[in-house]
Structures are given as structure tokens and as C-alpha cells.
Amino acid sequence: MDKRYHFMYNRTILKKNKAKEHSMTFIDIPYKLEKRSVPFPVFHSIWKVHADNSYEVSKREGFDMPGLFLTFDGKGSITMANQTYELDKNTFFFVEDATLAMYKCLNNDWKFYFLDFSQLDMARYLQLPVGEVTSTGKMAEAMQLCERMIDGLIAQPIGYEYASNILLQELLLLFTREHSLVALSHHTELNQILIYIHRNLDKQIRIEDLLQLSGWSRTTFFTRFRALTGLSPTDYLLKLKLAAARVALETTSLSLKEIAAKLHFYDEFHFSKLFKKAFDQSPSTYRKLKLMGTER
């Protein structure tokens, strides 16, 4: 599973014995970014242009840095490497630096934003098309992000430099969710199923419940689930429960029996067997080594 965020999600389990209510126990699971290089562009500037036929810009040595045209009304054109592209309303267009270019207004009306930034690595990483005119249904949201960026650059509140870069990243992500090949091939129903699993780890989760949530046949569900996570639903649930058990061993005084019960293992012996198979040591040994500040 692709872990895009790093935070601690607390699941609260309230223990009750008939008429007596006990204190709450927390089982925490860490969510981490994978250890890999993630490219980030550095924002430089944004232009908001209302152009007529008198508007024509020639870049004889190319753009100083890569950029993005967002056409929200009218029409313009850009010629690069002897090829002309028409920039219609509700399109975006990434340009590379150091390429001879000329762009101008068509039909006496062209309204657009132009943003330039340090590199296109993030756009390529997100599988956004570079050097292709791309239609978008998200122009209204894109314009809101651009206007927030401009407002920040005018008022310059504390941290506006960071805000400008964050808004640029949000803009690229906005188009990614709409256009990227990954998004198009991904079944969004699985997002809700994964969230359901994580938010209900303290409950008994049955595969039949997940099938019902998906609305798919068993074969389709298992195939798509494995394609996304690399695991069967059963193995995914087990891996998640064992991760929760590890944290419980490290951070609580719960007994093995209590941990097994809260995470719906058959019993503490079944839990211990699965834990040792996954981590090559028993839960008791794992807890002891953690308390001693060592781990095999």
C-alpha cells in the first residue's frame, strides 16, 4: 500500500464490564512515507494576464525556467520547436525551459495565469503531460489556488513563501487527481475500504462485509485488492493487526491476552504464533527487548 502521509492514528477502545466502565486504552499505528526521493518544485512567480491582439511575447533564448499556462478564458497560442499549440479555455500547458518560444493572443481575447518554477520533476513524477495541451474540468478550483497565491504575495503574511510553494503543489495535485494514469487505473472504491479497515481495526472485520462495501464479485474484489496492496484482504488485515500489536507491546501494559482480544485474534496462543512467524520472536521477547532498549 502506498503510504502518502506520516501521522499517528489513535483507535480508542472502551472496555466495559457489565455495570463498570474502565479507562480507555489506545492502540496506535504509525503511518510513514516510504524512504524515496520525492521531487518538489520551488515557486518563482505567477502572472495573471488579460490579453488582446497586441499581446505577443518572444522568448528567443527560451523560458528562464519551466512554467505552466492556465487558460481560463479566450484563446492563445504558443509556438515551440517549430510546433504551434492552441491554448483554449479550460486547458493547462507545461513548458520546458531553454526552448525557443513565442506566444500570443488569438481572437483579441486571452485570459490566463502563467506560473514559473524551478523544475518539472514533480509534474513528471505525477504523470502530468508536459508539452501537451490538456483540458481540465478543474479550472475553477485552479483559479482559486492561483488567487490565493497572488493574495499571499501581495500581503506577504508570515510564512507566505512556504504557502506559495504549498499552493503550487496543490495545483499540480489537483490536475493529477483528474488526469494521471494512476488515478484513472485505480478503483476509488478501494480507498474507502482501506479507510474502513483502518478505522475499524478494533472491531471484527469480515471479508463478507468488505465484499458488500465494494459491490463487486468475490473474484473482482480479491483481484483489485491484491493489485493495489500486494496482499489478499486476509493477509492485509493480519499484517495491520500485527503492526498494531507491536505498538501495543511497546507502549501499553496490556497483557498478551488483552491485546489478542482487542485485535480479535482467536486467543493469545494463536496471536503469539502469528507474531513469532511474522517477526521471528515471541511477543513477550519483543516487549522485553523493547523495554531494555534493544531489538534483535
Side-chain angles (χ1 to χ4, degrees), residues 21 48 83 87 89 91 125 158 164-165 235 256 263:
E21 185 172 89
K48 184 178 182 180
Q83 185 168 353
L87 309 182
K89 179 180 179 180
T91 63
Y125 181 87
I158 187 168
S164 297
N165 282 284
D235 288 342
L256 300 189
L263 292 170

Side-chain angles (χ1 to χ4, degrees), residues 77-226:
S77 72
I78 182 168
T79 301
M80 302 180 68
N82 296 321
Q83 185 168 353
T84 299
Y85 305 87
E86 292 189 350
L87 309 182
D88 291 299
K89 179 180 179 180
N90 295 331
T91 63
F92 65 86
F93 183 75
F94 287 97
V95 295
E96 301 194 56
D97 59 333
T99 302
L100 177 66
M102 187 275 291
Y103 53 98
K104 63 182 180 179
C105 174
L106 298 177
N107 303 326
N108 208 39
D109 181 30
W110 186 24
K111 299 180 178 68
F112 66 95
Y113 298 95
F114 178 75
L115 302 86
D116 58 355
F117 37 88
S118 60
Q119 39 91 342
L120 289 169
D121 292 354
M122 179 176 175
R124 291 192 172 97
Y125 181 87
L126 296 174
Q127 301 183 37
L128 288 168
V130 175
E132 299 177 22
V133 181
T134 307
S135 297
T136 177
K138 299 292 184 180
M139 187 57 71
E141 294 94 325
M143 291 177 68
Q144 290 177 2
L145 292 172
C146 289
E147 291 300 327
R148 286 170 57 192
M149 195 180 296
I150 291 170
D151 289 348
L153 292 166
I154 292 171
Q156 298 188 359
I158 187 168
Y160 78 96
E161 303 95 329
Y162 294 101
S164 297
N165 282 284
I166 291 170
L167 289 168
L168 171 61
Q169 292 171 33
E170 287 186 17
L171 184 63
L172 299 188
L173 288 169
L174 175 69
F175 293 139
T176 297
R177 296 185 188 103
E178 183 184 19
H179 287 278
S180 78
L181 295 176
V182 172
L184 289 173
S185 64
H186 179 62
H187 300 284
T188 55
E189 297 91 336
L190 286 175
N191 291 341
Q192 297 306 314
I193 290 171
L194 294 178
I195 292 170
Y196 173 85
I197 291 171
H198 282 253
R199 292 187 183 278
N200 292 278
L201 194 61
D202 58 305
K203 299 179 177 64
Q204 185 73 50
I205 300 176
R206 302 181 309 131
I207 300 302
E208 295 302 323
D209 296 332
L210 302 181
L211 280 169
Q212 187 174 1
L213 283 172
S214 72
W216 299 324
S217 69
R218 177 177 289 270
T219 300
T220 299
F221 173 69
F222 273 73
T223 299
R224 292 177 178 177
F225 193 97
R226 185 181 291 277

Side-chain angles (χ1 to χ4, degrees), residues 257-281:
K257 184 177 181 180
E258 288 173 316
I259 294 173
K262 291 178 185 301
L263 292 170
H264 299 280
F265 289 98
Y266 183 74
D267 57 29
E268 61 184 293
F269 305 105
H270 180 240
F271 162 56
S272 296
K273 180 181 178 180
L274 293 172
F275 190 96
K276 186 171 184 178
K277 182 179 179 181
F279 304 119
D280 199 30
Q281 56 190 359

